[in-house]
Amino acid sequence: MPPKKKLKGEDGEAVVDEEVAEEEVNDEVAQLAATPKTGMPFPPLPPGQSEAEAFEPEGPTEPEEDAKEDSRAKITAPPCFQTPDTTLNVHVSTVGNVLMMLNEGGLNYLMAGARANVGIKSGRYMFEVKILELLNPVETGAQLRTPMPKHVLRIGFSTAKSMPLMGDTEESICFDSEGSLFFNRKRTPIPARYGPDCTIAVVLNLDQDSPHANTISLFKDGWRCCDPQPLPDALKGKALFPTVTYKNMNLHANFGPAQLAPLPFKCRMVQEAAIEDVEVVNYQPHADGKYELIFPVCLPEEGTFDWLDWFLERNPNYVELSERMIIEWAVRSGINRPRVNALKASNDRPDMNFGMPHLDDGITKQILVAAAATQERDMVFMEVRGNLLEEERKEAVARFRMPHFKRVAKVMMGEPTGEFRQHVLEQIRKEKQEKADVEFQAERQRKAQMRLMEMQKKQVEWAKKQQEKRLKRAAEEAKRRAEAAAAIAAGETPAEEPQAMEEDEEQEPAMEAEEEEEPPRVELTEEEKQQWFRKTGQLPDLTGLVLSHSFPKFTVPTASEGFDEIDYAWQPAAAVDVYLKKWIHEHKITTRIDDLTPSEWFKERWQRWQKDLQNWHVRHMEFKDPAKRAAILAARKKEKEGSSKQEEKNDAVAAEKKEEKVEEKKEDKAEEKKGEDAAENLEKLTVPVLKEKLKAEGLTVSGNKAELIKRLQDHAQAKAATVSSAKEADKKEDEKKEEKTEGASEEKKAEKVVEEEPEPTEAELMKDLEEEINAAENDVFEIEDVMDVGTGEPLFCNFTFEDWALLSLRFEMHLLSHSFLKDCGDPERAGIYPDHLTFYYNKYYKKALNPKNYGVDGVEDLLGLIRDTIVICHPKVVESQLTSDLETNEVFVKLTEEARRDRQRRLDSGDESAQLKFAQRPAGAAHAANPMQAAGSKAPTLAGTLAAKGYGKGGMPVSQPQTLLHQQQRQQQLRQQMQQQMQQTAPVVPGVPQARPWMQQGGGMFGMPLAQRGMMARPAFGGWN
């Protein structure tokens, strides 16, 4: 059959017009017939050929030859598309190999693919595809990145066990409707495009006797569109299956025996293939006639997706149902996926972020699951979290109710099987090898760069030597010529020119040849060989928030949830139950609670602490003011002296009162006796005498003798009581006058001390130092009031900003540890995991905790600064040593002062490790310096108040800025003198505190006083970790 003439249509594509071609041929023949005959006759026509055939124009020569007759046995079953070899959005007709696709709910963005069940190993065969319908789904929502083109058709061949999405791997090759040959993401332009209303044929030539063996050709409506294209080496020697990949269209695939559009040469179709030339793949259900639907039940970060990849590699007929699969599918469909947010994404729920509503909101996954529930294929329903929760397992199982499914829960917990462990170790070794190869190439490039630099250096030196040689030869030649000229001028014969000696020319240095080195082969360490699972990559299996909400409810599946079989693949059921309970208990310690909310109990104690801290700070600033300090000390001293005098006075008064009581008793007895005597005497008196006495006292004189006597006795008693009360009133008034006089004199003396404030002498400073040392000997836990240790000064009078920072840190950690236990509501959570301490600190106190600000590297080192309050106990949780129901917060001041004294002792003894090395003022110091501001109060700051009253920084009076500083410097000098005296008698051993008269025996941070032990909730479990 002669080739048909091609014309260009309106769209520029080649079209065939048989009528035009025939008219042109007839016109050309008629023209030749009308030409006048000249002397050049036409050559004779071949026998059996007409003039029209002789003068028909020649077309392009077809490189392929007609197929020869083949008597070998042919396949009997017609080729078809089987469900396991199609994507989930493809439905295959029962008759005719018609491929239809789902295109709603975001599926219109995904490619559909189908692969035939007959693969070609040798020979030359073809198949055809025709577009039946173009689908144009309505775009809904705001599409940010709609993939183009909208309609795509790729027709070609792929290997078995590969996903029927062609072009982006080495397992397939295809012709694209956009006019290119597509292989492994590389496009080769082909001058042919095709669309609807045309028949596309692809010819695969694997006939080794053909001159065009291992080639693939494209035909459109029977016309060749390109020369035979060679197959890549990756596909040679493999069985290649007819495959189509398309989008937004419905297709019909023709495998024979008749061709829809005959080719320029005879070529057999796939249905006419010899059995020896093909490989037929058939999928059969399992022995029970059902298809497996597997629900993997794995713990997060314990081989979940590694097991899935290993299982799918060994069982390629299973299809994965997961969001990970949808993302891979979308990317292979040409949809651009921006970089994901690692904080919100996980392997179980990766961040889609395609900018397409249906893909991003999960509607596409719902439609695919609904479609998969109707298809006959083996599947793996992969959800890490969902397969561990009972309610979600029930919902998932209920979606697959078709009788051809066998629903299997495959439980993988605990130690895996040896086969899977070998797979994991091989993956670890590959990762390690890839890392070693990268390092090897980097080192190789570095060495090459060094060799290049060395060669350049040698070339510079060589050029310099060559220049020196040339200059030397030129100088010698000039000297010889000058000598010859001088000889000629003197009439002498010039010396013969010396024969030039051949010099060994030093060759220009070249770059040394690179030694051929093989990358080192890595081996696994013993520790790596003991690993059960491989560490996940950039994304975890579950995000921290999802894991913290879900893991307490993880359970093992049961038959009551609707499963047909529960397969414990790694460990038996009893061992799995024990392992799961242990895993949950451990994760209750190591998993943080992202939605934890501070309770009212915490807020109440936090506010009380801020109030106490503000009061202590105000008292501290007042005591730093020399004038106020002197007044406070003087008042306290006088109060103390006054109290001693008052005690003496009280003792004297008590003695006087005792004597008075003795005297009164005597008087009472005497009066009683006197009264008795008087009564006896009154009895002896006559009635007229009694009446005279009554008249003298102004009393009534009527009555008998007994009444007269009674009246006289009552009057005498009333008169005695009046005299006694008058004496007591006079006594109280005298006492008040004495108190007023003493108070006024004390105020005058205090004012005089403040006004004069003489410069302290060395003896006075020594006395103050001795008092300070004596005060240091006192146990801080025996002090009742931290605002006054007994001398008028507060316990925290020597605090620096580091001490205030550690004071705040002690309370904050104590309150945080107890609040966490109350707010989490889970008795199995023993405390805060150290790695999560900064997170909870920020959640409760709304500020960051940076250990480096305190001069330490990590959280555990930070807690070491306050180990008298906070310890890390088994099973590695932060725990407070104090009870949660403290009556006051003064114990934290006492602990801080005790730590300060111990630190000072160690520094005085030469232990430099005791020195605090704060990088800067921590947040706690700033809050300690101004607790009201830290609490969010709008009250004026203390610094501003003091400045308004004429005080500078630290509460120092502006008029006397050097007084307190001078005293402190002088005390420091005396302390150093005492140290030198002690060093003369006993050498100082660094790190070991020296014995001193004022040091407590068994005191300090580690020898805990009994008063402090009484405040402990319980001793530290296991000590400090």
Side-chain angles (χ1 to χ4, degrees):
M1 177 180 177
K4 301 174 183 178
K5 188 174 181 181
K6 297 182 180 180
L7 299 177
K8 288 188 176 180
E10 296 179 358
D11 57 352
E13 294 187 356
V15 298
V16 177
D17 193 336
E18 297 181 358
E19 296 180 357
V20 173
E22 186 176 355
E23 288 177 1
E24 289 182 353
V25 171
N26 294 335
D27 291 344
E28 195 169 358
V29 172
Q31 228 175 3
L32 290 172
T35 302
K37 296 181 180 180
T38 60
M40 294 293 296
F42 288 105
L45 296 175
Q49 186 177 18
S50 64
E51 292 184 357
E53 292 177 348
F55 291 100
E56 187 173 276
E58 296 184 359
T61 304
E62 172 56 49
E64 294 285 357
E65 299 177 354
D66 291 341
K68 299 178 181 180
E69 294 295 331
D70 189 357
S71 60
R72 293 177 299 173
K74 297 180 176 57
I75 59 175
T76 56
C80 63
F81 296 103
Q82 300 185 94
T83 301
D85 290 330
T86 62
T87 55
L88 291 171
N89 59 343
V90 172
H91 283 267
V92 185
S93 63
T94 56
V95 178
N97 289 325
V98 175
L99 301 176
M100 296 168 288
M101 69 168 292
L102 304 174
N103 67 335
E104 295 294 335
L107 292 176
N108 56 303
Y109 304 123
L110 302 180
M111 291 284 192
R115 181 174 54 249
N117 67 327
V118 177
I120 301 171
K121 298 187 297 182
S122 61
R124 187 185 67 182
Y125 299 96
M126 64 167 286
F127 76 100
E128 295 175 320
V129 173
K130 187 172 184 178
I131 300 175
L132 301 179
E133 179 185 16
L134 295 180
L135 305 177
N136 295 288
V138 179
E139 301 286 349
T140 59
Q143 316 297 334
L144 299 182
R145 292 175 290 271
T146 302
M148 296 300 289
K150 192 174 184 179
H151 301 92
V152 175
L153 174 59
R154 297 172 185 170
I155 178 170
F157 293 86
S158 64
T159 60
K161 301 180 181 180
S162 64
M163 192 171 182
L165 298 178
M166 297 186 295
D168 57 349
T169 66
E170 293 183 347
E171 298 175 336
S172 63
I173 187 171
C174 62
F175 291 100
D176 192 278
S177 58
E178 295 299 307
S180 61
L181 180 66
F182 206 10
F183 170 75
N184 198 20
R185 298 187 180 182
K186 295 180 181 179
R187 295 179 181 269
T188 302
I190 299 297
R193 295 188 179 188
Y194 47 85
D197 300 329
C198 63
T199 301
I200 311 301
V202 178
V203 177
L204 178 64
N205 190 345
L206 299 181
D207 187 1
Q208 302 303 319
D209 297 332
S210 171
H212 302 288
N214 295 322
T215 60
I216 183 173
S217 301
L218 176 68
F219 294 84
K220 176 182 177 182
D221 291 331
W223 293 92
R224 176 178 289 277
C225 298
C226 64
D227 295 332
Q229 302 295 315
L231 287 176
D233 294 337
L235 296 178
K236 292 180 181 179
K238 297 181 180 179
L240 300 179
F241 294 77
T243 309
V244 290
T245 301
Y246 60 101
K247 183 171 69 172
N248 292 324
M249 61 180 66
N250 294 329
L251 308 174
H252 169 238
N254 178 33
F255 298 108
Q259 300 177 2
L260 298 178
L263 302 185
F265 59 96
K266 291 181 180 180
C267 182
R268 278 187 290 272
M269 301 197 73
V270 176
Q271 189 169 338
E272 299 177 302
I275 297 177
E276 299 177 1
D277 292 344
V278 297
E279 176 184 327
V280 181
V281 176
N282 289 314
Y283 296 97
Q284 298 296 332
H286 298 273
D288 55 2
K290 294 186 177 182
Y291 295 91
E292 278 192 348
L293 176 63
I294 297 178
F295 292 82
V297 182
C298 307
L299 292 172
E301 313 301 333
E302 294 196 359
T304 50
F305 287 94
D306 279 344
W307 176 88
L308 179 60
D309 295 336
W310 173 74
F311 180 82
L312 294 177
E313 183 180 353
R314 294 162 55 90
N315 302 274
N317 57 307
Y318 282 75
V319 65
E320 175 185 353
L321 282 175
S322 67
E323 293 191 7
R324 184 187 73 158
M325 178 271 296
I326 296 176
I327 288 179
E328 180 185 358
W329 189 356
V331 172
R332 295 187 66 176
S333 298
I335 303 176
N336 180 40
R337 185 187 181 213
R339 184 176 298 177
V340 299
N341 185 357
L343 298 177
K344 299 181 180 179
S346 65
N347 292 325
D348 189 44
R349 287 288 185 272
D351 189 5
M352 294 290 188
N353 197 28
F354 287 111
M356 300 173 185
H358 294 313
L359 278 175
D360 294 345
D361 59 18
I363 294 178
T364 302
K365 180 183 178 182
Q366 296 177 9
I367 297 176
L368 288 175
V369 171
T374 64
Q375 299 177 5
E376 295 182 352
R377 66 167 86 208
D378 295 320
M379 290 178 285
V380 180
F381 190 85
M382 186 62 185
E383 285 197 2
V384 180
R385 174 182 173 274
N387 291 349
L388 286 166
L389 299 176
E390 180 180 357
E391 294 299 325
E392 297 198 17
R393 283 196 301 264
K394 289 181 179 179
E395 293 179 4
V397 171
R399 297 174 188 170
F400 299 87
R401 300 179 179 177
M402 300 297 289
H404 59 263
F405 283 122
K406 180 183 179 181
R407 296 160 293 191
V408 180
K410 192 175 287 290
V411 182
M412 282 83 65
M413 295 185 187
E415 183 178 358
T417 59
E419 191 174 5
F420 177 71
R421 286 192 63 184
Q422 289 299 323
H423 170 74
V424 171
L425 294 179
E426 181 61 23
Q427 295 298 318
I428 295 175
R429 192 197 65 78
K430 285 183 179 179
E431 290 181 354
K432 194 173 181 180
Q433 184 66 53
E434 291 174 359
K435 185 178 180 181
D437 291 346
V438 171
E439 294 176 353
F440 173 78
Q441 293 298 333
E443 180 66 17
R444 187 176 181 181
Q445 292 179 1
R446 188 189 67 82
K447 290 181 179 179
Q449 186 70 18
M450 294 296 294
R451 286 197 304 272
L452 178 61
M453 295 174 62
E454 187 68 23
M455 184 201 68
Q456 292 175 349
K457 183 179 179 181
K458 290 181 179 179
Q459 287 179 343
V460 171
E461 293 177 355
W462 176 82
K464 185 177 180 181
K465 289 181 180 179
Q466 295 299 319
Q467 180 67 15
E468 291 176 353
K469 288 180 180 180
R470 287 194 296 269
L471 294 175
K472 183 178 180 181
R473 285 197 298 267
E476 291 176 352
E477 181 67 19
K479 181 179 179 182
R480 186 187 62 78
R481 289 179 180 178
E483 291 177 352
I488 293 172
E492 299 177 358
T493 304
E496 296 182 359
E497 183 177 354
Q499 186 176 1
M501 298 181 64
E502 295 183 0
E503 295 182 2
D504 295 334
E505 291 290 338
E506 184 179 354
Q507 294 183 353
E508 182 179 0
M511 189 171 180
E512 298 178 2
E514 182 180 4
E515 297 180 2
E516 292 294 334
E517 294 184 26
E518 292 293 332
R521 291 191 58 82
V522 299
E523 297 294 337
L524 298 180
T525 63
E526 291 299 326
E527 182 180 358
E528 291 172 336
K529 291 180 181 179
Q530 299 302 320
Q531 292 183 13
W532 290 357
F533 311 107
R534 184 170 60 99
K535 294 181 180 179
T536 56
Q538 297 180 352
L539 297 180
D541 287 344
L542 296 177
T543 61
L545 181 61
V546 172
L547 181 62
S548 63
H549 285 177
S550 306
F551 80 89
K553 297 179 286 186
F554 286 172
T555 58
V556 178
T558 59
S560 61
E561 298 173 11
F563 292 103
D564 299 317
E565 180 184 346
I566 299 177
D567 179 18
Y568 291 90
W570 290 353
Q571 298 294 325
V576 167
D577 290 337
V578 173
Y579 185 85
L580 179 59
K581 290 179 180 178
K582 181 181 178 182
W583 186 91
I584 292 176
H585 179 71
E586 290 177 353
H587 276 69
K588 283 188 176 182
I589 297 173
T590 59
T591 304
R592 74 185 192 189
I593 307 175
D594 291 329
D595 58 348
L596 192 64
T597 304
S599 62
E600 293 297 328
W601 184 88
F602 165 80
K603 295 177 182 178
E604 177 185 355
R605 278 154 180 76
W606 176 238
Q607 292 176 359
R608 188 173 68 182
W609 165 258
Q610 290 175 317
K611 183 178 179 181
D612 292 345
L613 187 62
Q614 176 71 9
N615 294 335
W616 295 336
H617 187 71
V618 170
R619 181 59 182 270
H620 181 260
M621 299 301 292
E622 289 178 351
F623 200 77
K624 289 297 182 182
D625 182 357
K628 293 184 178 180
R629 178 178 182 176
I632 293 172
L633 294 178
R636 180 58 180 165
K637 185 175 181 180
K638 290 181 168 94
E639 182 180 351
K640 189 174 181 181
E641 293 175 355
S643 62
S644 60
K645 291 181 179 179
Q646 185 66 30
E647 289 177 358
E648 294 176 359
K649 186 176 181 181
N650 292 339
D651 292 340
V653 171
E656 291 178 0
K657 288 182 178 180
K658 188 176 181 179
E659 292 177 358
E660 289 178 358
K661 287 181 180 179
V662 172
E663 293 293 336
E664 288 177 357
K665 287 181 180 179
K666 292 181 180 180
E667 290 178 359
D668 291 340
K669 289 181 179 180
E671 288 179 358
E672 289 177 0
K673 187 175 181 182
K674 185 177 180 181
E676 292 175 357
D677 295 340
E680 293 177 358
N681 295 332
L682 291 176
E683 290 290 341
K684 294 178 181 180
L685 296 177
T686 60
V687 173
V689 175
L690 292 173
K691 288 183 178 181
E692 288 295 331
K693 288 189 176 187
L694 290 171
K695 286 181 181 180
E697 297 293 337
L699 301 176
T700 306
V701 296
S702 60
N704 54 25
K705 183 176 181 179
E707 292 176 350
L708 296 177
I709 294 172
K710 176 66 174 172
R711 195 173 295 125
L712 286 173
Q713 290 177 349
D714 292 339
H715 178 68
Q717 292 177 357
K719 188 175 181 180
T722 302
V723 172
S724 177
S725 60
K727 289 181 178 179
E728 290 180 359
D730 294 341
K731 186 177 181 181
K732 289 181 179 180
E733 186 175 355
D734 295 339
E735 290 176 355
K736 289 181 179 179
K737 289 181 180 180
E738 290 178 1
E739 289 177 358
K740 290 181 180 180
T741 305
E742 291 177 358
S745 61
E746 289 177 358
E747 290 178 0
K748 290 181 180 180
K749 290 180 181 179
E751 292 176 359
K752 185 176 181 182
V753 170
V754 172
E755 290 176 359
E756 294 178 358
E757 200 169 314
E759 183 72 17
T761 62
E762 183 172 343
E764 291 175 344
L765 291 175
M766 194 65 182
K767 183 179 180 182
D768 293 340
L769 181 58
E770 291 178 358
E771 292 179 355
E772 180 182 345
I773 293 173
N774 293 331
E777 292 179 356
N778 298 328
D779 187 357
V780 295
F781 299 100
E782 299 294 338
I783 298 174
E784 296 181 357
D785 185 6
V786 297
M787 300 286 278
D788 188 354
V789 297
T791 60
E793 65 180 24
L795 183 62
F796 43 80
C797 65
N798 295 318
F799 278 13
T800 60
F801 84 90
E802 291 89 351
D803 298 307
W804 287 111
L806 293 177
L807 170 64
S808 297
L809 186 63
R810 280 182 172 86
F811 175 81
E812 289 168 353
M813 291 301 166
H814 160 78
L815 180 61
L816 179 60
S817 62
H818 285 293
S819 298
F820 175 81
L821 296 176
K822 292 179 179 294
D823 298 343
C824 70
D826 189 349
E828 293 187 1
R829 292 185 183 268
I832 299 175
Y833 193 61
D835 293 349
H836 303 154
L837 186 63
T838 56
F839 169 79
Y840 291 120
Y841 185 90
N842 185 26
K843 179 172 283 291
Y844 273 81
Y845 297 112
K846 308 301 179 185
K847 57 183 179 180
L849 177 65
N850 187 3
K852 294 187 180 298
N853 291 340
Y854 295 83
V856 294
D857 295 330
V859 171
E860 296 188 8
D861 295 333
L862 177 63
L863 298 181
L865 299 176
I866 54 172
R867 67 182 68 178
D868 52 5
T869 307
I870 298 294
V871 293
I872 297 181
C873 302
H874 180 79
K876 199 176 182 181
V877 293
V878 177
E879 183 176 339
S880 174
Q881 297 196 74
L882 305 178
T883 60
S884 60
D885 54 350
L886 296 174
E887 295 182 0
T888 65
N889 295 322
E890 293 185 354
V891 64
F892 299 102
V893 179
K894 296 176 181 180
L895 289 171
T896 305
E897 173 61 16
E898 178 69 15
R900 187 196 67 80
R901 293 181 183 181
D902 181 77
R903 186 172 64 251
Q904 187 61 50
R905 295 184 195 115
R906 293 168 60 191
L907 290 173
D908 292 344
S909 64
D911 185 3
E912 297 296 334
S913 63
Q915 181 67 42
L916 296 176
K917 300 176 182 179
F918 283 15
Q920 59 185 20
R921 290 204 175 198
H927 285 272
N930 194 356
M932 292 182 64
Q933 188 175 358
S937 174
K938 296 182 179 180
T941 62
L942 180 62
T945 305
L946 294 174
K949 294 183 177 182
Y951 296 95
K953 292 183 179 180
M956 293 289 295
V958 179
S959 58
Q960 299 177 357
Q962 300 296 330
T963 304
L964 183 59
L965 178 62
H966 178 71
Q967 295 177 4
Q968 293 176 348
Q969 292 176 348
R970 188 59 180 157
Q971 290 179 359
Q972 182 65 21
Q973 294 175 359
L974 295 174
R975 186 180 289 109
Q976 292 176 356
Q977 293 176 4
M978 296 177 66
Q979 292 175 8
Q980 294 175 359
Q981 293 175 1
M982 293 185 63
Q983 289 175 356
Q984 294 176 358
T985 58
V988 175
V989 180
V992 179
Q994 303 299 305
R996 291 190 178 187
W998 59 82
M999 288 184 65
Q1000 300 181 15
Q1001 298 297 325
M1005 297 283 284
F1006 303 102
M1008 201 170 294
L1010 292 176
Q1012 182 179 354
R1013 294 178 186 175
M1015 301 178 187
M1016 297 297 179
R1018 62 175 181 269
F1021 184 87
W1024 174 256
N1025 292 342

